[in-house]
Amino acid sequence: MPLSRRQISQVYRPLGPKAVQFGNAWVSGGSLNLAQVVDLSLPLRGFRIVFKGRLVIGGADLASVKPEALQNLIARILITGTNSRQKGNVTLWDMDFATLLGIQQLFDPTRAYAFDVNGAEIATPSMPYASGGIPVTQGTYDFRFVADLPAYPFNSPAGVRPGFAVRSEEWKDSIQIQMTFATVAGGAVQGPFGTGQAATTLTLSSFGSGAGTPTIDVYSLPTIMGLDLKDGVVPGFLTRVVQPIGTILQSAGTGVTLITLQKQNTSRVFLKIGTSTQTPSFLTLSDTNVTALGIALGGNRNVRNRLDVFAHKQEIIEQYGSNPIQGYNVLDFVESGNPDSAYPGDQVDPGTTIQLTADVVGVANAYAHTIQEQMLYRPEGGLYSF
């Protein structure tokens, strides 16, 4: 039966952000663990992080700076829970803050995240990677990031989003949010910002102040649905986990298997490539070490033809109106915005492999992050069964 106008208006009604926990202290080399504090009395469309603080560079300028300097301060974000459909623990997100921000920029550069230093908005990353106001010289820098972690596929239409809501019916009170923080030290050593000089000092404090610590505020993003529609959806869920790649990228080769993908419904596969001598942060981002990229099925069929990476990058311009970003690549199966168009990896025959393949130039210290965005369950119910 067709939905009424009233019902259509109730399918997806996002509310404003709701605090999970304010003022969490960022401490060099420390961590944060939020357990049993996420309220699921309303379904969530995702989470929001506000990360802000002050960096003072003293004594001497940095000798070199990494392309994603301030972003590297949060080395890992891990969101997990126990899902009734999976009948066990599920990792929804597991990646560093810099990579999270980068992949979001591929789909909506005007809204993916806000980043300002001393009140000035930082330029959207592009090719070459624009570092904007990321600090290098001695001075005082107040920085602020506001970033979302959507539960649904990036750039999804509003009608798709309830199909990936995080609800108490599936997750109870099991959601945990954990973060790991980078270690910052002065002197002529490499850190998350880059490498200083012998006299360089790095001091982090609270936003707008020389005292305290940077802070991380965590919000949930609730939604409501009409009572007569609430039971019309059983949400699916995505898992996004970074898998690092190192040694194999340091030797030249054609059709090199970078990683064997899981046999799951796959909405997108990301590859972020550059060099690193201090993981998970990148020393450089590169579009030259991997010259061609594709997905092979069983070694003799192509899910995505192995083509020049710039041919793949052009898809971001065509489909989303975004600028390509140096070092970032995506092989996309849901350009239509419909999650049902995800690659059906769960239907691949037993014994057949799915592999991310590349032509590799081979450089010293080459390093990459790959993310297979997997849809472990599709949305079900009356709203998603037509």
Side-chain angles (χ1 to χ4, degrees), residues 50-283:
V50 177
F51 176 40
K52 58 186 177 181
R54 169 175 286 184
L55 168 66
V56 176
I57 302 176
D61 298 345
L62 290 173
S64 64
V65 66
K66 293 180 177 178
E68 300 167 304
L70 287 166
Q71 296 95 310
N72 292 331
L73 285 173
I74 302 179
R76 186 186 188 192
I77 300 173
L78 175 64
I79 301 179
T80 62
T82 302
N83 184 274
S84 60
R85 297 179 73 180
Q86 182 74 0
K87 296 181 172 58
N89 191 63
V90 173
T91 298
L92 295 174
W93 292 88
D94 187 359
M95 68 181 66
D96 58 293
F97 194 51
T99 299
L100 164 68
L101 299 180
I103 62 177
Q104 289 192 66
Q105 283 283 334
L106 292 171
F107 302 103
D108 195 341
T110 63
R111 300 190 312 171
Y113 71 91
F115 174 23
D116 64 82
V117 174
N118 290 341
E121 186 177 1
I122 300 306
T124 301
S126 56
M127 296 192 312
Y129 193 95
S131 60
I134 290 177
V136 180
T137 59
Q138 296 177 69
T140 299
Y141 303 94
D142 285 310
F143 62 89
R144 173 173 30 220
F145 292 91
V146 183
D148 288 353
L149 294 92
Y152 48 81
F154 298 113
N155 208 264
S156 290
V160 167
R161 299 178 185 186
F164 294 90
V166 179
R167 307 188 308 177
S168 61
E169 289 89 336
E170 291 80 35
W171 299 94
K172 306 297 183 187
D173 58 356
S174 67
I175 297 294
Q176 294 189 54
I177 302 173
Q178 301 173 56
M179 299 186 196
T180 304
F181 308 137
T183 298
V184 175
V189 297
Q190 185 187 150
F193 302 121
T195 302
Q197 302 180 63
T200 302
T201 60
L202 302 171
T203 304
L204 284 151
S205 60
S206 60
F207 186 84
S209 171
T213 67
T215 58
I216 300 170
D217 300 331
V218 180
Y219 300 84
S220 63
L221 300 174
T223 63
I224 55 176
M225 297 181 71
L227 292 177
D228 52 347
L229 293 178
K230 186 173 69 71
D231 295 330
V233 56
V234 179
F237 59 87
L238 301 172
T239 178
R240 301 163 169 122
V241 177
V242 158
Q243 293 183 271
I245 305 173
T247 306
I248 197 169
L249 291 166
Q250 297 168 18
S251 300
T254 300
V256 175
T257 297
L258 300 184
I259 191 169
T260 298
L261 300 172
Q262 297 295 313
K263 293 180 181 178
Q264 298 288 353
N265 289 311
T266 299
S267 47
R268 296 178 174 111
V269 177
F270 300 92
L271 179 70
K272 174 185 177 182
I273 186 166
T275 61
S276 178
T277 55
Q278 190 185 60
T279 62
S281 63
F282 281 71
L283 193 63

